[in-house]
mmCIF file of all heavy atoms in Angstrom:
data_model
loop_
_atom_site.group_PDB
_atom_site.id
_atom_site.type_symbol
_atom_site.label_atom_id
_atom_site.label_comp_id
_atom_site.label_asym_id
_atom_site.label_seq_id
_atom_site.Cartn_x
_atom_site.Cartn_y
_atom_site.Cartn_z
ATOM 1 N N VAL V 170 -10.141 35.579 77.266
ATOM 2 C CA VAL V 170 -9.050 36.483 77.556
ATOM 3 C C VAL V 170 -9.480 37.711 78.315
ATOM 4 O O VAL V 170 -10.651 38.130 78.093
ATOM 5 C CB VAL V 170 -8.309 36.870 76.150
ATOM 6 C CG1 VAL V 170 -7.844 35.657 75.444
ATOM 7 C CG2 VAL V 170 -9.169 37.777 75.344
ATOM 8 N N THR V 171 -8.642 38.271 79.006
ATOM 9 C CA THR V 171 -8.906 39.594 79.723
ATOM 10 C C THR V 171 -8.030 40.698 79.179
ATOM 11 O O THR V 171 -8.227 41.890 79.402
ATOM 12 C CB THR V 171 -8.642 39.496 81.247
ATOM 13 O OG1 THR V 171 -7.171 39.180 81.460
ATOM 14 C CG2 THR V 171 -9.434 38.332 81.840
ATOM 15 N N GLY V 172 -6.995 40.361 78.366
ATOM 16 C CA GLY V 172 -6.123 41.283 77.713
ATOM 17 C C GLY V 172 -5.847 40.871 76.360
ATOM 18 O O GLY V 172 -5.671 39.706 76.023
ATOM 19 N N ILE V 173 -5.719 41.891 75.471
ATOM 20 C CA ILE V 173 -5.359 41.638 73.978
ATOM 21 C C ILE V 173 -4.225 42.491 73.541
ATOM 22 O O ILE V 173 -4.402 43.815 73.690
ATOM 23 C CB ILE V 173 -6.666 41.859 73.148
ATOM 24 C CG1 ILE V 173 -7.891 40.927 73.645
ATOM 25 C CG2 ILE V 173 -6.349 41.410 71.689
ATOM 26 C CD1 ILE V 173 -9.092 41.133 72.847
ATOM 27 N N VAL V 174 -3.273 41.926 73.008
ATOM 28 C CA VAL V 174 -2.184 42.643 72.333
ATOM 29 C C VAL V 174 -2.345 42.571 70.822
ATOM 30 O O VAL V 174 -2.565 41.596 70.290
ATOM 31 C CB VAL V 174 -0.801 41.989 72.736
ATOM 32 C CG1 VAL V 174 0.288 42.560 71.932
ATOM 33 C CG2 VAL V 174 -0.598 41.966 74.192
ATOM 34 N N CYS V 175 -2.352 43.771 70.195
ATOM 35 C CA CYS V 175 -2.703 43.821 68.721
ATOM 36 C C CYS V 175 -1.410 44.272 67.912
ATOM 37 O O CYS V 175 -0.638 45.023 68.420
ATOM 38 C CB CYS V 175 -3.825 44.912 68.633
ATOM 39 S SG CYS V 175 -5.303 44.438 69.525
ATOM 40 N N GLY V 176 -1.431 43.725 66.669
ATOM 41 C CA GLY V 176 -0.349 44.103 65.823
ATOM 42 C C GLY V 176 -0.410 45.402 65.062
ATOM 43 O O GLY V 176 0.538 45.843 64.449
ATOM 44 N N SER V 177 -1.498 46.167 65.389
ATOM 45 C CA SER V 177 -1.556 47.517 64.859
ATOM 46 C C SER V 177 -2.647 48.210 65.614
ATOM 47 O O SER V 177 -3.555 47.645 66.268
ATOM 48 C CB SER V 177 -1.937 47.555 63.331
ATOM 49 O OG SER V 177 -3.322 47.176 63.203
ATOM 50 N N ASP V 178 -2.603 49.651 65.529
ATOM 51 C CA ASP V 178 -3.704 50.414 66.164
ATOM 52 C C ASP V 178 -5.054 50.149 65.606
ATOM 53 O O ASP V 178 -6.057 50.028 66.297
ATOM 54 C CB ASP V 178 -3.380 51.868 66.096
ATOM 55 C CG ASP V 178 -2.166 52.287 66.941
ATOM 56 O OD1 ASP V 178 -1.830 51.545 67.959
ATOM 57 O OD2 ASP V 178 -1.535 53.400 66.650
ATOM 58 N N LEU V 179 -5.108 50.006 64.297
ATOM 59 C CA LEU V 179 -6.433 49.736 63.662
ATOM 60 C C LEU V 179 -7.026 48.369 64.134
ATOM 61 O O LEU V 179 -8.223 48.293 64.366
ATOM 62 C CB LEU V 179 -6.269 49.797 62.148
ATOM 63 C CG LEU V 179 -5.952 51.062 61.532
ATOM 64 C CD1 LEU V 179 -6.023 51.025 60.020
ATOM 65 C CD2 LEU V 179 -6.880 52.188 62.021
ATOM 66 N N MET V 180 -6.163 47.369 64.244
ATOM 67 C CA MET V 180 -6.671 46.073 64.804
ATOM 68 C C MET V 180 -7.220 46.223 66.269
ATOM 69 O O MET V 180 -8.118 45.669 66.666
ATOM 70 C CB MET V 180 -5.567 45.131 64.795
ATOM 71 C CG MET V 180 -5.083 44.703 63.340
ATOM 72 S SD MET V 180 -3.953 43.346 63.232
ATOM 73 C CE MET V 180 -5.067 41.926 62.903
ATOM 74 N N ALA V 181 -6.396 47.178 66.950
ATOM 75 C CA ALA V 181 -6.925 47.315 68.419
ATOM 76 C C ALA V 181 -8.278 48.036 68.476
ATOM 77 O O ALA V 181 -9.018 47.672 69.253
ATOM 78 C CB ALA V 181 -5.919 48.248 69.081
ATOM 79 N N LEU V 182 -8.543 48.930 67.531
ATOM 80 C CA LEU V 182 -9.866 49.581 67.447
ATOM 81 C C LEU V 182 -10.861 48.545 67.089
ATOM 82 O O LEU V 182 -11.975 48.646 67.608
ATOM 83 C CB LEU V 182 -9.830 50.757 66.449
ATOM 84 C CG LEU V 182 -8.881 51.885 66.759
ATOM 85 C CD1 LEU V 182 -8.963 52.922 65.722
ATOM 86 C CD2 LEU V 182 -9.185 52.504 68.147
ATOM 87 N N GLY V 183 -10.571 47.655 66.267
ATOM 88 C CA GLY V 183 -11.502 46.547 65.906
ATOM 89 C C GLY V 183 -11.750 45.704 67.257
ATOM 90 O O GLY V 183 -12.888 45.240 67.386
ATOM 91 N N ALA V 184 -10.713 45.443 68.038
ATOM 92 C CA ALA V 184 -10.872 44.600 69.239
ATOM 93 C C ALA V 184 -11.726 45.329 70.242
ATOM 94 O O ALA V 184 -12.624 44.725 70.804
ATOM 95 C CB ALA V 184 -9.508 44.399 69.793
ATOM 96 N N ILE V 185 -11.670 46.695 70.340
ATOM 97 C CA ILE V 185 -12.486 47.433 71.199
ATOM 98 C C ILE V 185 -14.027 47.338 70.740
ATOM 99 O O ILE V 185 -14.918 47.146 71.541
ATOM 100 C CB ILE V 185 -12.066 48.878 71.337
ATOM 101 C CG1 ILE V 185 -10.749 48.932 71.977
ATOM 102 C CG2 ILE V 185 -13.084 49.666 72.046
ATOM 103 C CD1 ILE V 185 -10.048 50.393 71.989
ATOM 104 N N ARG V 186 -14.190 47.450 69.448
ATOM 105 C CA ARG V 186 -15.518 47.240 68.852
ATOM 106 C C ARG V 186 -16.078 45.839 69.259
ATOM 107 O O ARG V 186 -17.281 45.789 69.666
ATOM 108 C CB ARG V 186 -15.478 47.524 67.365
ATOM 109 C CG ARG V 186 -16.852 47.294 66.774
ATOM 110 C CD ARG V 186 -16.719 47.261 65.280
ATOM 111 N NE ARG V 186 -16.492 48.589 64.701
ATOM 112 C CZ ARG V 186 -16.238 48.813 63.385
ATOM 113 N NH1 ARG V 186 -16.092 47.698 62.521
ATOM 114 N NH2 ARG V 186 -16.135 49.963 62.902
ATOM 115 N N ALA V 187 -15.278 44.886 69.080
ATOM 116 C CA ALA V 187 -15.783 43.524 69.299
ATOM 117 C C ALA V 187 -16.133 43.315 70.784
ATOM 118 O O ALA V 187 -17.125 42.713 71.044
ATOM 119 C CB ALA V 187 -14.636 42.511 68.939
ATOM 120 N N ALA V 188 -15.358 43.904 71.686
ATOM 121 C CA ALA V 188 -15.698 43.776 73.115
ATOM 122 C C ALA V 188 -17.028 44.490 73.431
ATOM 123 O O ALA V 188 -17.914 43.935 74.130
ATOM 124 C CB ALA V 188 -14.628 44.360 73.905
ATOM 125 N N ARG V 189 -17.210 45.666 72.824
ATOM 126 C CA ARG V 189 -18.470 46.476 73.211
ATOM 127 C C ARG V 189 -19.730 45.765 72.581
ATOM 128 O O ARG V 189 -20.783 45.921 73.137
ATOM 129 C CB ARG V 189 -18.245 47.915 72.693
ATOM 130 C CG ARG V 189 -17.296 48.652 73.585
ATOM 131 C CD ARG V 189 -17.062 50.039 73.252
ATOM 132 N NE ARG V 189 -16.455 50.808 74.370
ATOM 133 C CZ ARG V 189 -15.971 51.944 74.204
ATOM 134 N NH1 ARG V 189 -15.983 52.638 73.019
ATOM 135 N NH2 ARG V 189 -15.459 52.599 75.244
ATOM 136 N N GLN V 190 -19.447 45.136 71.395
ATOM 137 C CA GLN V 190 -20.622 44.538 70.850
ATOM 138 C C GLN V 190 -21.049 43.373 71.694
ATOM 139 O O GLN V 190 -22.238 42.902 71.567
ATOM 140 C CB GLN V 190 -20.222 43.959 69.428
ATOM 141 C CG GLN V 190 -20.137 45.116 68.314
ATOM 142 C CD GLN V 190 -19.767 44.628 67.020
ATOM 143 O OE1 GLN V 190 -19.242 43.491 66.833
ATOM 144 N NE2 GLN V 190 -20.009 45.419 65.994
ATOM 145 N N ARG V 191 -20.270 42.850 72.531
ATOM 146 C CA ARG V 191 -20.600 41.701 73.514
ATOM 147 C C ARG V 191 -21.003 42.301 74.870
ATOM 148 O O ARG V 191 -21.043 41.546 75.831
ATOM 149 C CB ARG V 191 -19.483 40.785 73.581
ATOM 150 C CG ARG V 191 -19.280 39.922 72.258
ATOM 151 C CD ARG V 191 -17.885 39.306 72.214
ATOM 152 N NE ARG V 191 -17.856 38.520 70.962
ATOM 153 C CZ ARG V 191 -17.726 38.932 69.745
ATOM 154 N NH1 ARG V 191 -17.640 40.151 69.493
ATOM 155 N NH2 ARG V 191 -17.702 38.015 68.695
ATOM 156 N N GLY V 192 -21.164 43.566 74.977
ATOM 157 C CA GLY V 192 -21.549 44.200 76.195
ATOM 158 C C GLY V 192 -20.491 44.302 77.273
ATOM 159 O O GLY V 192 -20.767 44.431 78.417
ATOM 160 N N LEU V 193 -19.236 44.239 76.826
ATOM 161 C CA LEU V 193 -18.077 44.339 77.686
ATOM 162 C C LEU V 193 -17.483 45.717 77.689
ATOM 163 O O LEU V 193 -17.508 46.377 76.599
ATOM 164 C CB LEU V 193 -17.074 43.300 77.295
ATOM 165 C CG LEU V 193 -17.487 41.741 77.321
ATOM 166 C CD1 LEU V 193 -16.428 41.028 76.773
ATOM 167 C CD2 LEU V 193 -17.932 41.442 78.705
ATOM 168 N N ALA V 194 -16.972 46.135 78.756
ATOM 169 C CA ALA V 194 -16.353 47.434 78.947
ATOM 170 C C ALA V 194 -14.928 47.281 78.672
ATOM 171 O O ALA V 194 -14.261 46.382 78.982
ATOM 172 C CB ALA V 194 -16.554 47.969 80.299
ATOM 173 N N VAL V 195 -14.291 48.371 77.984
ATOM 174 C CA VAL V 195 -12.898 48.453 77.782
ATOM 175 C C VAL V 195 -12.482 49.851 78.444
ATOM 176 O O VAL V 195 -12.952 50.843 78.110
ATOM 177 C CB VAL V 195 -12.489 48.542 76.344
ATOM 178 C CG1 VAL V 195 -11.012 48.740 76.133
ATOM 179 C CG2 VAL V 195 -12.968 47.338 75.528
ATOM 180 N N PRO V 196 -11.662 49.690 79.565
ATOM 181 C CA PRO V 196 -10.886 48.486 79.949
ATOM 182 C C PRO V 196 -11.482 47.760 81.079
ATOM 183 O O PRO V 196 -10.730 46.857 81.623
ATOM 184 C CB PRO V 196 -9.549 49.187 80.371
ATOM 185 C CG PRO V 196 -9.989 50.426 80.989
ATOM 186 C CD PRO V 196 -11.197 50.924 80.154
ATOM 187 N N GLY V 197 -12.688 48.003 81.499
ATOM 188 C CA GLY V 197 -13.241 47.407 82.697
ATOM 189 C C GLY V 197 -13.206 45.863 82.621
ATOM 190 O O GLY V 197 -12.930 45.175 83.662
ATOM 191 N N ASP V 198 -13.642 45.333 81.419
ATOM 192 C CA ASP V 198 -13.686 43.885 81.280
ATOM 193 C C ASP V 198 -12.477 43.310 80.403
ATOM 194 O O ASP V 198 -11.983 42.144 80.653
ATOM 195 C CB ASP V 198 -14.970 43.455 80.674
ATOM 196 C CG ASP V 198 -16.214 43.727 81.588
ATOM 197 O OD1 ASP V 198 -16.171 43.313 82.762
ATOM 198 O OD2 ASP V 198 -17.050 44.481 81.134
ATOM 199 N N VAL V 199 -12.030 44.108 79.497
ATOM 200 C CA VAL V 199 -11.074 43.661 78.545
ATOM 201 C C VAL V 199 -10.092 44.845 78.338
ATOM 202 O O VAL V 199 -10.576 45.959 78.036
ATOM 203 C CB VAL V 199 -11.648 43.252 77.138
ATOM 204 C CG1 VAL V 199 -10.518 42.762 76.284
ATOM 205 C CG2 VAL V 199 -12.564 42.106 77.358
ATOM 206 N N SER V 200 -8.755 44.552 78.577
ATOM 207 C CA SER V 200 -7.800 45.507 78.255
ATOM 208 C C SER V 200 -7.204 45.323 76.788
ATOM 209 O O SER V 200 -6.967 44.197 76.523
ATOM 210 C CB SER V 200 -6.729 45.490 79.292
ATOM 211 O OG SER V 200 -7.131 46.009 80.536
ATOM 212 N N VAL V 201 -6.987 46.421 76.148
ATOM 213 C CA VAL V 201 -6.491 46.296 74.731
ATOM 214 C C VAL V 201 -5.260 47.212 74.578
ATOM 215 O O VAL V 201 -5.224 48.393 75.038
ATOM 216 C CB VAL V 201 -7.601 46.720 73.805
ATOM 217 C CG1 VAL V 201 -7.046 46.694 72.305
ATOM 218 C CG2 VAL V 201 -8.821 45.851 73.888
ATOM 219 N N VAL V 202 -4.217 46.644 73.939
ATOM 220 C CA VAL V 202 -2.896 47.351 73.630
ATOM 221 C C VAL V 202 -2.730 47.347 72.135
ATOM 222 O O VAL V 202 -2.823 46.302 71.467
ATOM 223 C CB VAL V 202 -1.723 46.700 74.297
ATOM 224 C CG1 VAL V 202 -0.474 47.512 73.965
ATOM 225 C CG2 VAL V 202 -1.895 46.561 75.831
ATOM 226 N N GLY V 203 -2.523 48.468 71.555
ATOM 227 C CA GLY V 203 -2.262 48.550 70.097
ATOM 228 C C GLY V 203 -0.754 48.611 69.748
ATOM 229 O O GLY V 203 0.045 48.366 70.673
ATOM 230 N N TYR V 204 -0.470 49.008 68.564
ATOM 231 C CA TYR V 204 0.907 48.986 68.112
ATOM 232 C C TYR V 204 0.894 50.062 67.020
ATOM 233 O O TYR V 204 0.207 50.028 65.960
ATOM 234 C CB TYR V 204 1.419 47.739 67.577
ATOM 235 C CG TYR V 204 2.819 47.776 66.959
ATOM 236 C CD1 TYR V 204 3.852 47.857 67.886
ATOM 237 C CD2 TYR V 204 2.985 47.739 65.606
ATOM 238 C CE1 TYR V 204 5.196 47.913 67.244
ATOM 239 C CE2 TYR V 204 4.225 47.884 65.058
ATOM 240 C CZ TYR V 204 5.302 47.967 65.861
ATOM 241 O OH TYR V 204 6.622 47.979 65.351
ATOM 242 N N ASP V 205 1.885 50.956 67.054
ATOM 243 C CA ASP V 205 2.181 52.052 66.136
ATOM 244 C C ASP V 205 2.207 53.443 66.808
ATOM 245 O O ASP V 205 3.078 54.193 66.587
ATOM 246 C CB ASP V 205 1.215 52.152 64.928
ATOM 247 C CG ASP V 205 1.565 51.094 63.917
ATOM 248 O OD1 ASP V 205 2.696 50.550 63.835
ATOM 249 O OD2 ASP V 205 0.605 50.678 63.165
ATOM 250 N N ASP V 206 1.171 53.683 67.626
ATOM 251 C CA ASP V 206 0.895 55.063 68.082
ATOM 252 C C ASP V 206 0.726 55.981 66.923
ATOM 253 O O ASP V 206 1.356 57.049 66.876
ATOM 254 C CB ASP V 206 1.914 55.633 69.138
ATOM 255 C CG ASP V 206 1.480 56.766 69.852
ATOM 256 O OD1 ASP V 206 0.187 56.888 70.051
ATOM 257 O OD2 ASP V 206 2.245 57.620 70.184
ATOM 258 N N SER V 207 -0.083 55.579 66.059
ATOM 259 C CA SER V 207 -0.401 56.450 64.875
ATOM 260 C C SER V 207 -1.260 57.674 65.290
ATOM 261 O O SER V 207 -1.790 57.626 66.320
ATOM 262 C CB SER V 207 -1.051 55.546 63.757
ATOM 263 O OG SER V 207 -2.192 54.821 64.349
ATOM 264 N N PRO V 208 -1.285 58.631 64.416
ATOM 265 C CA PRO V 208 -1.970 59.930 64.757
ATOM 266 C C PRO V 208 -3.383 59.627 65.268
ATOM 267 O O PRO V 208 -4.142 58.711 64.746
ATOM 268 C CB PRO V 208 -2.012 60.723 63.485
ATOM 269 C CG PRO V 208 -0.733 60.195 62.757
ATOM 270 C CD PRO V 208 -0.625 58.767 63.145
ATOM 271 N N LEU V 209 -3.845 60.354 66.158
ATOM 272 C CA LEU V 209 -5.185 60.395 66.771
ATOM 273 C C LEU V 209 -5.504 59.245 67.803
ATOM 274 O O LEU V 209 -6.616 59.257 68.299
ATOM 275 C CB LEU V 209 -6.273 60.411 65.631
ATOM 276 C CG LEU V 209 -6.224 61.479 64.632
ATOM 277 C CD1 LEU V 209 -7.326 61.380 63.552
ATOM 278 C CD2 LEU V 209 -6.251 62.845 65.240
ATOM 279 N N MET V 210 -4.590 58.354 67.981
ATOM 280 C CA MET V 210 -4.921 57.395 68.978
ATOM 281 C C MET V 210 -5.095 57.838 70.378
ATOM 282 O O MET V 210 -5.657 57.170 71.209
ATOM 283 C CB MET V 210 -3.732 56.316 68.932
ATOM 284 C CG MET V 210 -3.691 55.483 67.672
ATOM 285 S SD MET V 210 -5.259 54.625 67.255
ATOM 286 C CE MET V 210 -5.771 55.616 65.843
#
C-alpha cells in the first residue's frame, strides 16, 4: 500500500511508526490519514 486510512489518530501514529521501522519515509513512501483530530496532532 502507498496510503493508509486509519480509524483513529492513535492508530495513525502506530502506522507511522511501522513505516519508519521498515526504513520508509512518511509521507515520502507512505501517506497516512488519521481520524479524530485529537489534541496535539
Side-chain angles (χ1 to χ4, degrees):
V170 301
T171 64
I173 301 177
V174 174
C175 301
S177 74
D178 290 337
L179 294 187
M180 297 186 94
L182 297 181
I185 294 173
R186 176 192 283 174
R189 287 181 164 167
Q190 286 179 343
R191 287 160 177 78
L193 302 174
V195 177
D198 296 305
V199 180
S200 286
V201 177
V202 181
Y204 175 77
D205 282 334
D206 194 30
S207 44
L209 303 182
M210 290 305 108

